[in-house]
Amino acid sequence: MLSEFDLIAKYFTKPVRNASLGIGDDCALLTPVPGTQLAISTDMLVSGTHFFADTDPRQLGHKSLAVNLSDLAAMGAEPVAFTLALSLPKPDEAWLKSFSEGMFSLANICHCELIGGDTTKGPLNICITVFGRIPLGQALRRDRAEYGDDIWVSGTIGDARLALAHCRNEITLDKQDFNAVSPRLHMPIPRIMLGMALRKNANSALDISDGLLGDLTHILDASGVGATLNTDSLPISPVLARQTEDWRMLCALTGGDDYELCFTAPPSKRSRVLEASARTGVPVTRIGFIENEPGLRLRNSHGEPVTFSRHSFDHFLAGSK
């Protein structure tokens, strides 16, 4: 059976280029680049809470890093490095090989290197901390939305929640539809390049991890503003569009795990936002606008109020998802 240090050496030790010192000492060393700020974020994934116990380990390796890289994307940060803390019931080599391959495949694409961490025996639990860099003063923050800003969303939203509903037997999708939406749940794509392209164009941003309504409310609360959303403008996939209205609304407004970007930008920057979208190959959709009146209002394309009482996901509120 593998020891802790054999496990680390065999599956998680790689040469580093961004860091001054990687795995093997008490600490890793990162040398700051002059004129930049360091962006740091941590996410924990717990078996049974964030993923099913039988989730494919390669997909899990990808998602574990992707959800953290998505936080960097939301700030407009360029990925640099990450650490991994991993709790395992036992050192299953086939699982570790697949998990590490999925994780490093995404890490290599995003030029983000593993520089340290920890392993221990216990229930399956994955905790990653990412480090990114941003030019000084250019970070996209939640507290900078302004009156009159457009509200935008990247990609499509709701598919991850739809796939989860199928996995939970809440609904039944045919094989083709499930295969279309399943990657959104298991292998989300962090919008790194779009986030970086929005640095000088957007006023505020975050990633949609717990549902559009709840996450956008974080921007509104932090910025001291309100908003109106056009529910007919929400970008959804053809698979979700074929579902009932209740499921379309639930998935698009409160479904988590899409890891798309929600951001605000002044109307004068619309052409630049669309240029950033075209340059990065990530579609964006204008779904509403920022107002001075506090609160979040839902209306259809005719301006009629839309009533929706569901809430986004909250770990400590039972039945919130």
Side-chain angles (χ1 to χ4, degrees), residues 1-15 23 57-58 61 65 82 84 86 88 90-105 107-108 112-119 128:
M1 182 176 289
L2 288 177
S3 70
E4 176 185 359
F5 299 106
D6 289 339
L7 183 158
I8 294 171
K10 186 171 184 178
Y11 295 106
F12 298 109
T13 301
K14 305 283 184 182
I23 293 173
R58 185 179 183 89
L65 181 58
F82 69 100
L84 168 67
L86 182 62
L88 289 168
K90 61 180 180 179
D92 181 330
E93 291 208 52
W95 189 96
L96 285 164
K97 181 176 184 296
S98 187
F99 175 85
S100 62
E101 287 175 350
M103 184 182 67
F104 282 121
S105 177
N108 292 338
C112 192
E113 57 193 24
L114 180 61
I115 59 172
D118 191 24
T119 58
I128 287 180

Side-chain angles (χ1 to χ4, degrees), residues 180-313:
V181 299
S182 179
R184 298 301 307 276
L185 176 64
H186 297 299
M187 298 188 72
I189 300 173
R191 302 302 192 182
I192 296 292
M193 299 307 295
L194 178 62
M196 293 169 64
L198 291 173
R199 283 174 184 162
K200 295 182 179 181
N201 299 311
N203 283 337
S204 66
L206 46 60
D207 69 330
I208 303 174
S209 57
D210 294 327
L212 175 62
L213 291 188
D215 288 330
L216 176 57
T217 297
H218 296 321
I219 287 180
L220 304 184
D221 290 345
S223 301
V225 294
T228 290
L229 292 186
N230 180 352
T231 57
D232 292 334
S233 297
L234 299 176
I236 60 175
S237 71
V239 178
L240 183 53
R242 289 194 292 271
Q243 309 307 310
T244 65
E245 182 180 0
D246 286 347
W247 273 107
R248 291 197 304 270
M249 293 283 284
L250 185 145
C251 292
L253 291 175
T254 66
D257 279 349
D258 282 310
Y259 297 100
E260 295 291 351
L261 299 186
C262 177
F263 59 96
T264 76
S268 61
K269 296 290 184 71
R270 286 178 186 173
S271 62
R272 293 188 180 182
V273 169
L274 294 174
E275 287 170 6
S277 167
R279 188 166 67 251
T280 60
V282 181
V284 296
T285 304
R286 195 153 41 94
I287 62 169
F289 51 91
I290 296 295
E291 301 173 300
N292 279 331
E293 182 184 353
L296 178 55
R297 289 157 288 281
L298 304 179
R299 297 187 181 276
N300 62 24
S301 56
H302 301 292
E304 300 164 339
V306 174
T307 301
F308 187 77
S309 59
R310 300 281 189 133
H311 301 285
S312 291
F313 181 73

